[in-house]
Amino acid sequence: MRQHDKTTGLVAAGCRLLALTSLLALAGCGGTVTKHGQVFKDTDLQAVQAGMSQDQVRAALGTPATTAVIGDGRAFYYISSTDTQQSFFLPTEQSRQVVAVYFTKGGTVDHVANYGLKDGKVFDFVSRKTPAPGGRDETVLNQLFRNLGKQQLFGAGSAFGG
């Protein structure tokens, strides 16, 4: 009878160890959420109204991520994004919000636009390259030999042609 109790105790201890190991392994697989840029509240965006000055917008939303001159006026851009990463995999962008505040020539708010991930293409801000519509990524060799076989190299009337 004592042998059976020892075996049952070992099996139970093994099950507890397996459950604890599984729980620790699953805890390590949890995703990490990272937020970049401006964190917006609905009240912040509602505070920006037409006719406000650039200084009033800076007071309400903070310093813009970037600015631009558009036509006769200016624009402030506030960028926010959220990424998730599962263990050792590359992070994936879950959401992006770009708030654009457009100013008139006189420096007052003309209108505010709110863009999301669905409104544009993802491009690399660091290299400042945006893929052209219908463009193809080709290697140097593909570019050099792209037309080989499609046209005559020396033409029909050349000394080398037939």
Side-chain angles (χ1 to χ4, degrees):
M1 193 80 169
R2 292 191 183 261
Q3 184 67 22
H4 184 343
D5 290 341
K6 286 183 182 178
T7 305
T8 305
L10 286 174
V11 169
C15 287
R16 281 188 224 115
L17 181 63
L18 181 63
L20 181 63
T21 306
S22 299
L23 184 63
L24 289 174
L26 287 174
C29 292
T32 304
V33 176
T34 307
K35 295 186 181 256
H36 302 280
Q38 181 83 19
V39 178
F40 298 108
K41 297 178 191 172
D42 291 335
T43 56
D44 293 339
L45 299 178
Q46 292 170 355
V48 178
Q49 300 293 323
M52 291 176 69
S53 70
Q54 294 179 8
D55 290 335
Q56 290 172 324
V57 172
R58 280 192 189 99
L61 298 179
T63 304
T66 188
T67 61
V69 175
I70 298 180
D72 291 336
R74 292 183 54 129
F76 287 178
Y77 296 100
Y78 297 89
I79 303 168
S80 172
S81 68
T82 303
D83 297 340
T84 58
Q85 183 176 7
Q86 298 293 328
S87 58
F88 55 85
F89 295 106
L90 292 174
T92 56
E93 188 174 37
Q94 296 301 313
S95 66
R96 181 186 323 139
Q97 183 179 13
V98 178
V99 174
V101 181
Y102 297 101
F103 296 95
T104 63
K105 187 177 182 179
T108 59
V109 173
D110 182 35
H111 67 282
V112 178
N114 194 349
Y115 303 108
L117 192 58
K118 64 179 174 28
D119 293 321
K121 291 186 176 184
V122 177
F123 66 94
D124 186 3
F125 286 99
V126 176
S127 67
R128 302 200 185 282
K129 291 182 182 176
T130 305
R136 296 176 291 180
D137 292 334
E138 294 182 332
T139 64
V140 173
L141 291 177
N142 284 347
Q143 291 174 2
L144 288 173
F145 297 112
R146 172 181 10 193
N147 292 325
L148 194 63
K150 291 184 181 179
Q151 59 187 354
Q152 294 178 344
L153 294 176
F154 300 107
S158 72
F160 299 107

